[in-house]
Amino acid sequence: MTDTLHKHIADSGQFLSQLASRITYLIDIIGDGSWFDLEKLLEEVQQVRNAIFDLPEKELFKRMLMLEDRISILEDRAAREITPARMVNIVRSVQRFTLQDILENVYDSFTELGGEEDCNIDPAIVVARATISRRVKKRIHKHQVMVIGHEKGMGEEYRNGGCAKPWGNDKALRYMKVAETEGIPIHFLIFTPGSYPIEDFPGAAQQIARNIYAMCKLEVPTVSFISEGGSGGAEAIGLADFRLMASHGYYSVISPEGAAAIEGKIREGGKVPRELVEKCARQLKMTARDNLGLGTIDRIVHEPPLGARKDDYDFFRRLRFEMIRATDEVVLRTKSFRTFRAYALKKQIAKDYGSSDTFDVHIPWRLSEKETERLLENRSRKYRSMGQGYTELKKESLIDLHKLRDKTRETITRTYYEIKYGLLKPHKKNVQKVLEEVTGEGAAFLAKITEPVKAAVDFLSGPDGEQRLLSDENQHTSIFSREWEQYVSPLANEDRTVTCPNAAKYGCMDLWVPDLYGEFCGVCPTCGHHFPLEYQWYLQNLFDRGSVKEFNRHIVSGNPLKFEGLDARLNRDMQRTGRRSGIITFKASVLGVKIVVAMLYSNFRSGTVGSAEGEKFLRACDLARTRRRPFLAYIHTTGGIRIQEGTLGVIQMPRCTMAVREYVDSGGLYIVVYDNNSYAGPVASFLGCSPYQVGIRSSRIGFAGPRVIRETTGQDVPPDYHSARNALRRGHIQGIWDRRDFRKNLHDALMTMGGPNLYYK
Amino acid sequence: MDINLNDLLRHYRSNPYEEHEIRAPHTGVVKFRAEEGQQTFGPSGKWLHKPGTLLFLLERENNPKRITASFNGEVAGIRHELEGCFVEAGTLLLTIRHRLSKEEIIDRILTEVLSIFPAPQRARYYLPPETASQMDKKAEPSIFLKPGDDAIIMSLMKRDTMLKYEGTPGIIYKVYFHSGDMVERDAPLLGICPPDNLKYVQKVIQRIKNEWEE
C-alpha cells in the first residue's frame, strides 16, 4: 500500500515536472513570461509540486488535471499564433532536439570520428560513421552513411552553440573525402546560427569556400537536413543533392537580430527593438514554408505543432524515413532504369507516416561510375537553376526575346568554339608536336623538309596565340593601357591636401589631391598606402583601350522578397550609378589577352550579391568556359550577400561556386583580385575558392567585420586584423599587388597560370 | 651617498607634474577643441588604436587635421589668442600637465640612483640559472655583481651568449624583463645598486610608497 502511494506520488512529481517543462518551453517560444501569465502558472505548478505530500490525493489529481488543461489550451493558442520570430525561439530553445538526439534516435549505431565532446578539434562539428536501417517487408537492410553536422550542445559551452570554427569545417571536409573514398552517402545535419567568425588559419571564409567547392563535385549522394540554417555556416555543409528542412526550423541569410541592427542602424551595443526583430524575421522569409516556396529547399519534415523536442520519438522516426527516402530519390535519379522503383517510392510518400518504418522497396546506395556522372550532372543542374525565376530582366516584354536570343547565341557560340578550340586546335597542336619531334630527331637534314610544312600550317591557321600576344606586348610596354592619360579620376578635381593614414609611422608628407589621384594613381609615394579609387579608374586603366564590352546589362537587381524599403534604395542606387545591378560583367583584353571579367563594385548596395548579381556572375563564368578565356573576378568592394534577398541571396554561394568549379575543372584560369573591402558570403564561396587570389595593397579581406566579431566572440580584434598583409600571412591570398602594377602582374598571371584549355595555350 | 632623500621628495612634492608642451606639427590655421582644465586621455584600447582626446584642429590646404592628446593629464595654458589664426610649425599651442603616479616617481628615482645594464641588441634574454634560483630563494636583493661576472644570457638565432657585467659593482636591485622575453636594443635589463646605497634606496622607495598621496 505504501509502495503504491509512493509510486503515485513519484508519478505525480514527474508529471508536474513535465508540466513545468512545458511552460518553460512556452516562455522560450513566446519570449515573454507575461504572455497569459505564464510565469504565474509556472509558480502555481511549483507550489503544487512543493505541496505534493500535503495535498489529499483527490485534490492533487484535480489540480494537476486543471493545470494540464490550461497549459494545453495555451499550447494550442501558441501553435496557432506562431510567427517567424517565434520559430527562431523554438530553434534556440534548450529543449529542442540536437544532433546528438538524432544520432541516437534516427541511426541504429554510430561511431564518432575526429574527437568526442570537448576532446575535439572543434566540438561544434560532429562527424560520425553511422548505420541507418530500413525494413522492407520482413527484412532489415542496413546502410552505412557518414553523418556530418553541428552540435549545439545545449548547455555545453565548449560547443559554441554550433558555431563551427574554421578547423571544424576543415574536419567536415576531411570526412567528406573519406565518405567519397568509401563510396557511402553523406547526411548533413545543420544546426548552426552561423560560422564562428575568426580569420585564424584556415580562415572562416576560405574554409567555407573550400567546403562548398569540394561539395560541388563530391562523388557520393548527399542529403542535408536544416533545423537552424545560419547563412555561411549552414552552406559550409549544406550543398547537398536533396535538402530537407524541419517545419519549425529557420534558414536565413542573417539572424533577425543582425538584420534588425542593420536596418535600424543600431549602434554597437545598443538594444534592438523587439518589433523590428519580428518585422525582419517576417521579411527575411526564413521559415521552411517560405524556403520551399522559394525553391531553396526540396521538402519539409513536419514537426509537432510547437516543434520537436528531445523526447519526440515520433518525429525521429519520421526523420529517419525522410532521410532514407531523400537518399533513395537522389540515388534513383541517377539510374537509367528507375520507373517502377520511383513509382513505389512516390506511392509511399502518400502513405501515413505512422507506418514509416517500412519501405516497399530496397534501393542500394552505391553508385556506378556512370551513375556518379549523372549524380554530378543532376547536382549541377539543381543548383544552377535554384532561385533562377527570381532574377529580373530589364523589360517584361523582352524576357522571351532575350531568352530566345541568349539560347540561340549560346548554341552558335558553343558550336563555334568547340570546332575552333576543341577540334582544330588540338589537331594543329598534334601536327606541331610531331613536327617538333621529327625536327629534333632529324636535325639539320630533316629540318629542310619539315620547315616548309610547318610554315604552311602556320600560314593556314594564323600565328600562334602566344607569339601574337608577345608581339602585342612588344608594341606596348606601358603599365597603363594606351592613352591612359585621357582618364582622370574625378577625385582629383579638388584643390586640397590629404594626410596619409601612415603619416605618424612613416613620416609621409601631406598629399595634394590632384597629384595623388592623378599622377600617383591614389598611392602614397612615401609608404605605398593605397587610397580608394572608383571602379571606373580600373575600367579605364587596367584593360586595353576600347576593349571593354559589357554584357547581360538586362539582368536587373530586384526585390524578390518585397523587402520593405529595398525598392527605394535600389532606385536611388540605379539613378546614382546609371547601372542596374551591383556587378558589371564584360569582355575585355589585357595586353592583347582576351578575358572575361566580373566586377563587384561599391557604389551599388555596397557591392552586395543578390539573385541578379549571382546570375550575371554565373553567366560570365559560363561564357569564359565556352570561349576558353581566362576569368577575372575583380572585387572593387563587396559587403557580402544582400540580406534583403534572404536565402535567395545565400544560394548564390553554392550556385556561383558550382559554375566556378566547372569552369576551373574545364581547364580555365580563375583569378580573384580583392580591392578595398571584401567580406562575408562571396569571399566564403565563389571568390574564396579560387586557387589564385590576390589583394590590392591596403585592401581588407575577411569573413565578418570587426563589429560582428566583437559581438559574436566577445573579443576585440586589432585594427589590421583584416589587412591584405595578414590575409597573405594566413594564406588566404597568394599575393599583394600594387595598383600601379596591376595590369602588368595580371598579364604575367594570364601568361603563366591556369589550365590547358585556355584559347591561347 | 649623494642623494638627498628630503630634497628628492620635496622636489616631486612641490611639482608632481610632468609638463608636455603641445606645439603645432606644421603650419596651419588652428581651432581649439579642448578647454582649459579639461582632462585629457592618451590613446587607448588594447592596441592603442583609439585616438586620445581631441585637442585642436590644424587646417592647411583645406586639410583639417585632428591633433589628439598622447598623454593623460590636464589641459593648461591654451593660447586662445591664436584661435583661428595661421601659426608656424613649432608654435606652442597648449600644455598638458601630467600628474606623476607613485610608480612613475619610483621609476624616476631608481633611474637616477641605479646603474642600468642595457640590452646590447634585440634578442631574447635569460638570467643564468644560478642567479635565477638564488633570486627565487631570497626575497631581498642580494646577488652581487662585479665587472667580469656572468650577468645575463643573450639568446639570438638559437645561439646563447653569456654577457659579462661591466660597470659599477653592486647588487641586482631590479630585473626589468621576464626570462625569455624579446627585448629591444638599449632597453634596460638590470638595475644595479651599489651595496652602500642599498638600504638608503630601499628607504626612499618605502617612504614614497607610504607618504605619497595620489
Side-chain angles (χ1 to χ4, degrees):
Chain A
M1 178 67 191
T2 324
D3 283 354
T4 321
L5 182 69
H6 274 136
K7 192 177 176 303
H8 274 225
I9 289 169
D11 287 349
S12 306
Q14 199 179 355
F15 184 74
L16 285 164
S17 295
Q18 283 169 357
L19 291 187
S21 148
R22 282 164 68 182
I23 299 170
T24 320
Y25 187 58
L26 270 180
I27 295 174
D28 280 352
I29 295 172
I30 308 295
D32 180 11
S34 62
W35 188 77
F36 287 96
D37 289 334
L38 280 172
E39 274 167 356
K40 280 186 189 165
L41 191 62
L42 184 62
E43 272 173 34
E44 227 171 288
V45 171
Q46 299 294 5
Q47 279 167 8
V48 177
R49 211 170 152 194
N50 294 338
I52 201 164
F53 294 100
D54 306 331
L55 289 170
E57 199 174 346
K58 264 193 176 177
E59 173 69 14
L60 179 67
F61 288 156
K62 194 179 152 194
R63 287 183 70 175
M64 285 196 314
L65 287 174
M66 274 174 63
L67 283 168
E68 199 205 3
D69 282 349
R70 280 170 68 188
I71 294 167
S72 300
I73 290 166
L74 289 177
E75 282 176 341
D76 288 346
R77 192 180 180 110
R80 280 199 307 277
E81 293 177 6
I82 213 146
T83 61
R86 286 180 182 172
M87 282 203 184
V88 175
N89 292 343
I90 287 177
V91 168
R92 290 177 184 167
S93 167
V94 287
Q95 297 189 33
R96 187 163 177 81
F97 63 93
T98 65
L99 174 60
Q100 197 66 27
D101 301 310
I102 291 181
L103 279 171
E104 282 168 12
N105 297 302
V106 172
Y107 298 91
D108 299 350
S109 62
F110 67 93
T111 308
E112 201 172 331
L113 303 167
E116 280 181 3
E117 295 175 355
D118 60 336
C119 181
N120 206 321
I121 188 163
D122 182 9
I125 286 275
V126 166
V127 180
R129 256 312 280 258
T131 309
I132 193 166
S133 63
R134 75 165 100 201
R135 194 145 53 88
V136 182
K137 288 167 189 162
K138 286 181 182 173
R139 216 172 143 199
I140 303 283
H141 295 272
K142 288 186 184 295
H143 297 279
Q144 293 295 317
V145 290
M146 187 70 82
V147 177
I148 300 175
H150 304 101
E151 177 55 58
K152 285 179 79 70
M154 299 306 185
E156 295 167 333
E157 278 292 309
Y158 59 85
R159 302 273 190 193
N160 270 321
C163 296
K165 290 186 175 159
W167 38 93
N169 283 327
D170 175 56
K171 177 173 86 173
L173 179 60
R174 197 161 70 239
Y175 285 102
M176 286 179 210
K177 297 279 182 193
V178 172
E180 191 176 40
T181 310
E182 297 182 359
I184 55 170
I186 307 175
H187 287 175
F188 295 114
L189 299 159
I190 299 164
F191 291 84
T192 184
S195 204
Y196 198 76
I198 45 173
E199 298 298 336
D200 303 49
F201 185 82
Q206 272 71 16
Q207 189 55 47
I208 295 174
R210 273 190 281 271
N211 281 25
I212 300 176
Y213 189 78
M215 282 187 286
C216 287
K217 297 293 168 195
L218 264 185
E219 295 184 349
V220 286
T222 52
V223 172
S224 62
F225 168 75
I226 303 171
S227 167
E228 182 174 19
S231 193
E235 293 308 321
I237 58 166
L239 192 153
D241 298 305
F242 205 96
R243 290 176 138 199
L244 295 167
M245 186 169 168
S247 62
H248 288 62
Y250 80 83
Y251 174 33
S252 173
V253 63
I254 190 171
S255 70
E257 292 84 359
I262 294 170
E263 285 296 301
K265 296 192 169 70
I266 309 290
R267 280 172 166 266
E268 190 172 351
K271 180 118 180 72
V272 185
R274 199 168 143 185
E275 299 73 39
L276 190 57
V277 174
E278 285 184 0
K279 187 179 163 192
C280 284
R282 211 169 39 248
Q283 294 206 87
L284 284 170
K285 305 278 186 238
M286 51 168 61
T287 65
R289 193 178 292 177
D290 291 330
N291 275 294
L292 188 67
L294 294 172
T296 52
I297 58 162
D298 298 298
R299 190 175 296 146
I300 296 173
V301 181
H302 291 281
E303 297 180 57
L306 280 178
R309 284 184 265 177
K310 285 175 172 294
D311 55 355
D312 213 320
Y313 301 109
D314 275 347
F315 170 73
F316 294 132
R317 206 162 41 242
R318 187 176 303 163
L319 181 59
R320 178 167 56 198
F321 173 81
E322 290 290 1
M323 292 303 282
I324 294 174
R325 190 177 123 194
T327 319
D328 279 352
E329 282 187 53
V330 173
V331 171
L332 273 184
R333 280 180 205 151
T334 66
K335 308 278 179 195
S336 49
F337 184 68
R338 59 173 185 266
T339 320
F340 293 113
R341 283 173 295 180
Y343 175 71
L345 203 64
K346 204 175 170 186
K347 216 174 102 186
Q348 190 135 12
I349 297 165
K351 278 190 181 177
D352 181 27
Y353 283 115
S355 60
S356 59
D357 272 26
T358 54
F359 279 78
D360 294 339
V361 282
H362 168 56
I363 298 159
W365 289 347
R366 205 165 279 278
L367 303 182
S368 68
E369 208 172 303
K370 195 75 198 162
E371 287 163 353
T372 307
E373 266 176 39
R374 268 189 225 119
L375 176 84
L376 299 184
E377 277 166 24
N378 291 345
R379 194 181 298 157
S380 170
R381 209 173 302 126
K382 175 189 177 74
Y383 281 91
R384 280 171 168 274
S385 61
M386 204 178 262
Q388 212 172 15
Y390 293 92
T391 309
E392 284 188 26
L393 302 178
K394 197 160 71 178
K395 285 179 188 171
E396 291 293 320
S397 57
L398 286 178
I399 289 175
D400 289 340
L401 196 64
H402 275 299
K403 265 188 188 168
L404 188 70
R405 193 192 66 186
D406 288 349
K407 215 171 176 180
T408 317
R409 189 184 284 175
E410 172 72 20
T411 315
I412 294 169
T413 312
R414 186 171 292 154
T415 316
Y416 171 74
Y417 284 98
E418 272 303 316
I419 293 169
K420 189 172 177 187
Y421 297 117
L423 291 174
L424 294 180
K425 196 164 181 189
H427 178 67
K428 182 192 157 195
K429 272 185 178 175
N430 286 338
V431 171
Q432 277 182 333
K433 204 177 164 187
V434 169
L435 289 176
E436 277 163 14
E437 292 279 334
V438 172
T439 310
E441 287 292 323
F445 176 72
L446 279 175
K448 284 183 181 174
I449 304 166
T450 56
E451 277 302 326
V453 182
K454 190 171 185 290
V457 171
D458 281 347
F459 178 76
L460 287 172
S461 58
D464 184 76
E466 197 166 343
Q467 281 175 7
R468 193 170 60 231
L469 299 172
L470 287 172
S471 63
D472 275 3
E473 194 181 14
N474 290 336
Q475 283 166 19
H476 178 67
T477 51
S478 164
I479 59 164
F480 299 108
S481 63
R482 292 179 181 87
E483 303 161 55
W484 64 275
E485 296 86 351
Q486 285 182 6
Y487 179 81
V488 177
S489 168
L491 293 169
N493 299 333
E494 268 186 289
D495 180 17
R496 66 182 182 99
T497 62
V498 288
T499 307
C500 175
N502 297 325
K505 198 172 174 187
Y506 300 110
C508 314
M509 303 284 213
D510 277 5
L511 297 155
W512 190 46
V513 163
D515 274 350
L516 174 65
Y517 292 109
E519 190 185 346
F520 300 160
C521 306
V523 178
C524 170
T526 309
C527 72
H529 174 79
H530 282 41
F531 288 79
L533 275 176
E534 69 285 354
Y535 73 90
Q536 290 91 340
W537 189 94
Y538 292 91
L539 284 178
Q540 296 293 331
N541 289 320
L542 182 60
F543 308 106
D544 297 342
R545 189 90 190 152
S547 70
V548 173
K549 299 274 184 297
E550 197 177 340
F551 57 86
N552 283 332
R553 273 183 72 96
H554 65 286
I555 300 174
V556 182
S557 287
N559 187 4
L561 303 187
K562 307 289 171 225
F563 200 97
E564 201 179 299
L566 180 62
D567 286 319
R569 284 180 245 175
L570 285 173
N571 284 335
R572 194 187 59 206
D573 283 358
M574 284 179 190
Q575 279 171 8
R576 203 177 54 190
T577 61
R579 298 196 170 274
R580 292 165 178 272
S581 70
I583 193 170
I584 311 166
T585 50
F586 53 91
K587 288 173 264 180
S589 62
V590 176
L591 293 171
V593 185
K594 290 176 193 164
I595 62 173
V596 175
V597 187
M599 183 187 264
L600 283 166
Y601 64 105
S602 61
N603 313 42
F604 196 99
R605 308 297 322 128
S606 305
T608 50
V609 173
S611 307
E613 286 77 12
E615 182 65 25
K616 284 180 80 172
F617 184 92
L618 187 139
R619 290 193 190 192
C621 194
D622 284 352
L623 187 83
R625 184 160 62 128
T626 316
R627 302 203 171 189
R628 302 183 187 227
R629 290 185 185 179
F631 182 42
L632 167 72
Y634 168 70
I635 311 305
H636 184 252
T637 275
T638 179
I641 299 296
R642 191 169 300 149
I643 61 164
Q644 293 85 355
E645 291 202 22
T647 42
L648 285 176
V650 178
I651 53 146
Q652 303 311 319
M653 292 170 66
R655 271 190 90 208
C656 296
T657 311
M658 183 66 79
V660 164
R661 173 76 194 248
E662 285 168 2
Y663 169 73
V664 174
D665 285 354
S666 74
L669 168 60
Y670 177 46
I671 301 178
V672 174
V673 180
Y674 301 106
D675 203 351
N676 302 312
N677 299 305
S678 305
Y679 288 108
V683 183
S685 55
F686 56 90
L687 303 177
C689 67
S690 167
Y692 305 110
Q693 297 173 66
V694 177
I696 295 291
R697 211 164 152 179
S698 306
S699 59
R700 282 175 292 274
I701 302 137
F703 182 59
R707 175 178 170 171
V708 174
I709 297 177
R710 278 194 293 270
E711 287 178 349
T712 314
T713 68
Q715 288 178 339
D716 206 354
V717 291
D720 64 344
Y721 191 63
H722 294 107
S723 69
R725 274 182 71 80
N726 277 331
L728 185 63
R729 195 170 282 131
R730 295 181 191 115
H732 298 172
I733 54 174
Q734 285 72 52
I736 297 178
W737 287 353
D738 191 299
R739 181 184 287 149
R740 295 162 296 186
D741 295 334
F742 191 175
R743 183 170 155 82
K744 183 178 153 292
N745 288 345
L746 180 61
H747 181 258
D748 286 350
L750 294 173
M751 299 317 296
T752 54
M753 298 169 186
N757 243 20
L758 295 168
Y759 79 94
Y760 53 88
K761 283 204 172 175
Chain B
M1 179 75 201
D2 54 353
I3 311 165
N4 188 321
L5 173 63
N6 289 330
D7 280 358
L8 259 178
L9 285 178
R10 201 175 302 122
H11 167 70
Y12 283 113
R13 271 219 186 91
S14 63
N15 184 19
Y17 293 101
E18 188 179 59
E19 299 205 338
H20 299 278
E21 289 183 342
I22 308 296
R23 296 173 182 275
H26 56 68
T27 55
V29 176
V30 67
K31 286 174 190 163
F32 289 104
R33 288 289 178 267
E35 286 170 16
E36 195 75 22
Q38 185 186 331
Q39 281 292 315
T40 63
F41 300 96
S44 59
K46 198 172 171 184
W47 300 274
L48 298 179
H49 57 290
K50 294 174 189 164
T53 311
L54 178 62
L55 298 175
F56 56 89
L57 298 176
L58 191 61
E59 187 171 337
R60 180 178 65 178
E61 304 256 7
N62 297 323
N63 179 18
K65 203 173 285 179
R66 294 163 66 87
I67 309 295
T68 55
S70 310
F71 316 93
N72 292 356
E74 197 176 274
V75 177
I78 297 181
R79 295 184 63 191
H80 288 292
E81 72 275 15
L82 297 176
E83 173 72 28
C85 296
F86 180 86
V87 295
E88 294 290 342
T91 309
L92 176 65
L93 296 174
L94 55 90
T95 307
I96 293 180
R97 299 180 77 210
H98 170 68
R99 191 182 164 86
L100 294 166
S101 68
K102 204 183 279 185
E103 284 70 32
E104 282 171 327
I105 289 173
I106 291 172
D107 271 354
R108 270 148 206 264
I109 290 175
L110 286 180
T111 325
E112 281 180 40
V113 299
L114 298 181
S115 163
I116 301 294
F117 182 73
Q121 56 183 303
R122 187 174 187 270
R124 288 186 194 284
Y125 290 90
Y126 300 88
L127 285 171
E130 312 84 59
T131 315
S133 65
Q134 278 184 45
M135 277 190 168
D136 289 343
K137 280 177 198 162
K138 296 179 183 173
E140 291 293 307
S142 62
I143 299 162
F144 188 79
L145 279 184
K146 59 180 187 304
D149 281 357
D150 291 342
I152 220 156
I153 300 167
M154 179 176 76
S155 179
L156 188 66
M157 301 292 285
K158 297 190 174 177
R159 203 176 59 196
D160 292 350
T161 313
M162 185 66 82
L163 299 180
K164 302 282 183 195
Y165 179 65
E166 289 166 6
T168 328
I171 288 168
I172 301 177
Y173 186 82
K174 188 161 185 179
V175 179
Y176 286 96
F177 69 100
H178 292 109
S179 219
D181 274 1
M182 181 63 79
V183 181
E184 294 297 325
R185 185 180 172 168
D186 290 335
L189 292 172
L190 302 174
I192 311 293
C193 180
D196 305 343
N197 291 356
L198 184 64
K199 284 200 172 162
Y200 196 71
V201 169
Q202 282 173 330
K203 202 173 155 192
V204 174
I205 305 297
Q206 200 53 46
R207 208 165 142 193
I208 291 169
K209 277 185 181 166
N210 292 338
E211 293 181 13
W212 195 263
E213 286 169 10
E214 285 186 313

